[in-house]
Amino acid sequence: MDDDLKQKMVFVGGPRQVGKTTLALDVLGTVDRNHPAYLNWDDIHARTPLFEAKFPGGESLLVFDELHKFPRWRNLIKGLYDTQGDTTAILVTGSARLDHFRKAGDSLQGRYHYYRLHPFSLNEIASEPNSGDLDDLIQFGGFPEPLLSGNTRMWRRWQCERISRVVYEDLRDLESVREVALVEILAETLPDKVGSPLSINNLAKDLHVAHETVKRWLEILENLYVCFRILPFAAPRIRAVKKEAKLYLWDWSQVPGKGERFENLVAGHLLKYCHFIEDTEGFKMELRYIRDTDRREVDFVVMREREALFAVECKSGPKSPSRAIEYFRERTAIPNFYQVHLSDRDYVSNGTRVLPFTTFCQEIGLP
C-alpha cells in the first residue's frame, strides 16, 4: 500500500468494524484519533474543515475516514488530489463500496487504487493454524472485536448492535429508503438463505413488496458489505443454471447451521483470495459455483481472467469425493478439484484432493 500511496490515492472499503480505522491510523503511524491528519466524518468536529475544504498543511499523508457519508465527497477529494496530489498522499476509507458510490458524481477513475479489507482469515490469526483456531473462527467470525474477545455473550451483543447500526445509520446516510424496518427484516432472514440458490421472488412475497424493491435492497446490503452473491459457472458440456446466485454473509458467524456456516467461512476466505489478487496484481478474479439443471453441485470455482483455477467442495468430515465432483471433472476444463473438511485426514481419491481446510489454506496461500 505504501508504494500505491506514492502514485495515486488509495481507497479502502470494507464492512463496519472490520478494522479500517485501525489500518488507516497504522499507515499514518499513530494511534491518536485526534491526529490533525486524520479526519473522520463521524466526528462532528471534523466536519467543518471538510465542508469548507480546509485541510491541515505540512502533512505528507491525509486520512479521510467514512468520507463517503459526506454528499460532496467525490468532488472534494478530486479537487484535493488534482491540486495537492504531488505533495500529499491521500487515504480514504469507508464502510461502503467506494467504487460504487463514486459513479454518482465526477469520475475518479485513474486517480486511485482500491483495496477491500476483509475479516480475519485463518492464516492471519496463526502462523501455523490448527483446529482450535478454526473452531474460534467458526464460532465467533473473523471480525476483530468478537474474535479477539472469545466471549460468547459479547459476541451476541456485538451481533445485535452491528446489524442495527448498519441498517439504521449507514443505510440512512447513504440511501433513500422508506421501509427501513423491512430492510432490517430482510437482513435478519439472510442467514437462513446461505448456501442455496437465492429466490428474490420468494423474498418479495415474504416481505409483501415488489421484486424490484427486494433486488434493490439486496444490492444496497451488498454495497454496505453485509452480504455477497456468487453466480453459477458455465461450461459447454454441462447444462448449468444461468441466473440463480448463491448468497453468503461477510460475517459467517451469523449463519445458524454448522455445515452452512463452514461453507460460508470457506466462501469468505476464497472471496478474500480473489479480492487480494485483484486489488494487488490487477487480474480479473471471480468466485463462482457449479450447479446444473439436475441439481448436481460443487460449492465454489475460483477463476482468473475467465479461466478456472480450481474448484472447492465443503464437507464436515473426510468423506470420499462427491459424485458431482467426478461428473464435473469429466465435463469441464477445471484443472484441480479439492474437497475440504474439518477433520485431519489428507488423501487423494480419483484425482481429487481431500484435505483439512487448515492445510488447504496454507498450501493455496490464502491471505
Side-chain angles (χ1 to χ4, degrees):
M1 184 183 293
D2 290 341
D3 290 339
D4 286 341
L5 280 168
K6 296 175 183 177
Q7 302 169 6
K8 299 181 180 182
M9 293 184 288
V10 169
F11 290 2
V12 177
R16 171 185 276 269
Q17 296 180 290
V18 79
K20 299 181 298 298
T21 298
T22 301
L23 173 65
L25 290 173
D26 183 67
V27 174
L28 192 58
T30 183
V31 295
D32 182 9
R33 298 194 181 203
N34 294 316
H35 192 286
Y38 174 75
L39 297 170
N40 188 334
W41 178 254
D42 290 336
D43 179 2
I44 191 68
H45 300 292
R47 294 185 181 183
T48 299
L50 290 173
F51 270 118
E52 299 176 355
K54 294 180 179 178
F55 310 109
E59 299 290 346
S60 59
L61 170 65
L62 291 177
V63 173
F64 298 91
D65 203 357
E66 298 296 325
L67 187 60
H68 60 282
K69 297 178 183 178
F70 175 40
R72 300 192 297 272
W73 76 273
R74 293 168 291 271
N75 290 336
L76 181 147
I77 287 294
K78 180 176 181 292
L80 176 63
Y81 178 76
D82 289 345
T83 57
Q84 301 182 36
D86 291 338
T87 57
T88 305
I90 299 171
L91 175 62
V92 181
T93 76
S95 55
R97 282 180 50 194
L98 301 174
D99 59 334
H100 168 79
F101 287 101
R102 70 163 176 81
K103 296 174 183 176
D106 288 348
S107 175
L108 296 170
Q109 189 65 34
R111 292 177 170 86
Y112 70 94
H113 293 292
Y114 188 55
Y115 287 86
R116 285 157 286 194
L117 187 62
H118 283 247
F120 281 128
S121 55
L122 191 58
N123 283 344
E124 285 181 318
I125 64 174
S127 57
E128 295 183 3
N130 55 44
S131 58
D133 298 317
L134 181 55
D135 289 342
D136 287 343
L137 267 186
I138 292 174
Q139 180 177 356
F140 297 110
F143 284 77
E145 189 174 342
L147 177 64
L148 297 178
S149 75
N151 184 286
T152 303
R153 176 174 171 269
M154 179 185 169
W155 166 77
R156 288 196 302 265
R157 297 178 66 186
W158 182 88
Q159 286 281 356
C160 295
E161 293 169 359
R162 175 177 175 269
I163 293 299
S164 178
R165 287 172 180 168
V166 167
V167 173
Y168 287 97
E169 295 180 20
D170 296 347
L171 177 61
R172 179 199 61 201
D173 289 337
L174 298 172
E175 297 282 351
S176 176
V177 176
R178 294 181 180 178
E179 302 88 349
V180 176
L182 287 179
V183 178
E184 184 178 26
I185 293 174
L186 173 61
E188 290 175 348
T189 65
L190 294 183
D192 293 322
K193 310 297 182 183
V194 161
S196 301
L198 185 68
S199 171
I200 295 180
N201 283 332
N202 289 343
L203 287 173
K205 291 178 182 178
D206 293 341
L207 295 170
H208 303 287
V209 296
H211 177 279
E212 290 301 316
T213 300
V214 173
K215 182 180 177 181
R216 176 170 173 260
W217 289 351
L218 282 172
E219 290 172 352
I220 290 172
L221 292 175
E222 286 181 313
N223 291 332
L224 292 173
Y225 292 102
V226 173
C227 60
F228 60 93
R229 285 175 285 178
I230 65 174
L231 296 173
F233 171 84
R237 296 181 60 196
I238 63 174
R239 294 176 297 175
V241 296
K242 296 181 180 180
K243 297 182 179 180
E244 296 180 318
K246 285 171 57 174
L247 177 134
Y248 296 96
L249 305 180
W250 281 77
D251 178 15
W252 54 78
S253 70
Q254 289 182 269
V255 182
K258 184 176 181 180
E260 292 81 3
R261 186 182 293 196
F262 175 53
E263 182 180 329
N264 198 147
L265 178 146
V266 175
H269 279 64
L270 293 176
L271 184 70
K272 185 172 186 174
Y273 175 77
C274 290
H275 284 173
F276 177 78
I277 293 176
E278 191 166 278
D279 295 346
T280 60
E281 302 295 333
F283 290 107
K284 176 64 177 177
M285 302 292 294
E286 293 180 88
L287 181 61
R288 298 200 172 216
Y289 76 102
I290 316 175
R291 183 182 176 93
D292 67 8
T293 54
D294 294 319
R295 298 189 177 183
R296 283 178 287 252
E297 183 175 325
V298 173
D299 292 324
F300 306 109
V301 179
V302 172
M303 303 179 66
R304 183 177 66 192
E305 302 293 343
R306 300 184 179 181
E307 296 290 333
L309 297 180
F310 56 86
V312 181
E313 174 73 3
C314 303
K315 296 292 183 183
S316 58
K319 305 173 183 177
S320 298
S322 69
R323 293 181 180 180
I325 287 180
E326 302 306 318
Y327 181 85
F328 291 125
R329 176 191 297 282
E330 296 174 358
R331 290 165 176 80
T332 67
I334 301 174
N336 297 298
F337 282 79
Y338 299 94
Q339 187 164 289
V340 299
H341 56 80
L342 296 171
S343 187
D344 57 3
R345 189 180 177 195
D346 188 340
Y347 67 98
V348 176
S349 177
N350 296 326
T352 298
R353 179 85 177 275
V354 181
L355 73 167
F357 183 65
T358 52
T359 305
F360 174 80
C361 288
Q362 291 177 303
E363 293 194 3
I364 296 297
L366 300 188

